[in-house]
């Protein structure tokens, strides 16, 4: 059984390792989800407690990605509004995807231009600096 007060994100495989004492693991995980002992965020990803931060959930839902746009501006106090949607940018193939659960809304969008792939050019002569 999961430890009381344990708050973290777990994959399906991690849950199976925690519940080795049970024979019908899939049924046990389903019952735990029905009783809200674990919350399914997406396929093979579960939340085991209420205090896991939303930005950690957003990072786990879509990897590799980073929080951006309105959410990042709001976190740093650059806009007065509070962002209610965790927006992640990724360079993966999917164009747009939205995950909703009772913790929040997670919006993922592909944005290649926001990933800066630059090569540093070193100046070898003084004229290269100008």
């Amino acid at each position: 059984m999961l430890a009381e007060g344990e708050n973290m994100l777990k994959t399906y495989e991690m849950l199976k390792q925690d519940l080795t004492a049970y024979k019908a693991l899939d049924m046990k995980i389903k019952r735990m989800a029905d009783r809200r002992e674990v919350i399914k965020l997406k396929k093979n990803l579960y939340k085991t407690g209420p205090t896991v931060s939303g930005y950690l959930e957003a990072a786990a839902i879509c990897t590799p990605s980073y929080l951006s746009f309105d959410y990042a501006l709001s976190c740093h106090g650059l806009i007065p509004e509070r962002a209610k949607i965790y927006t992640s940018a990724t360079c993966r193939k999917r164009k747009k995807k939205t995950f909703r659960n009772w913790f929040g809304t997670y919006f993922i969008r592909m944005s290649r231009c926001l990933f800066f792939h630059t090569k540093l050019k070193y100046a070898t002569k003084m004229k290269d600096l100008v």
Side-chain angles (χ1 to χ4, degrees), residues 1-3 11 14 17 29 35 37 51 63 72 75 84-85 88 91 97 100 102-104 108 123 125 128:
M1 195 71 162
L2 297 173
T11 63
M14 293 167 73
Q17 289 177 355
I29 292 171
R35 289 183 298 218
E37 293 173 22
T51 60
T63 57
C75 281
K84 295 180 182 178
I85 297 175
S88 298
C91 60
K97 186 113 180 171
R100 285 186 180 90
W102 60 282
F103 291 109
I108 297 141
K125 298 179 184 172
D128 292 336

Side-chain angles (χ1 to χ4, degrees), residues 31-40 47 102-103:
R31 286 186 185 138
M32 289 173 71
D34 290 344
R35 289 183 298 218
R36 300 258 185 223
E37 293 173 22
V38 296
I39 294 107
K40 186 174 185 176
K47 180 176 179 175
W102 60 282
F103 291 109

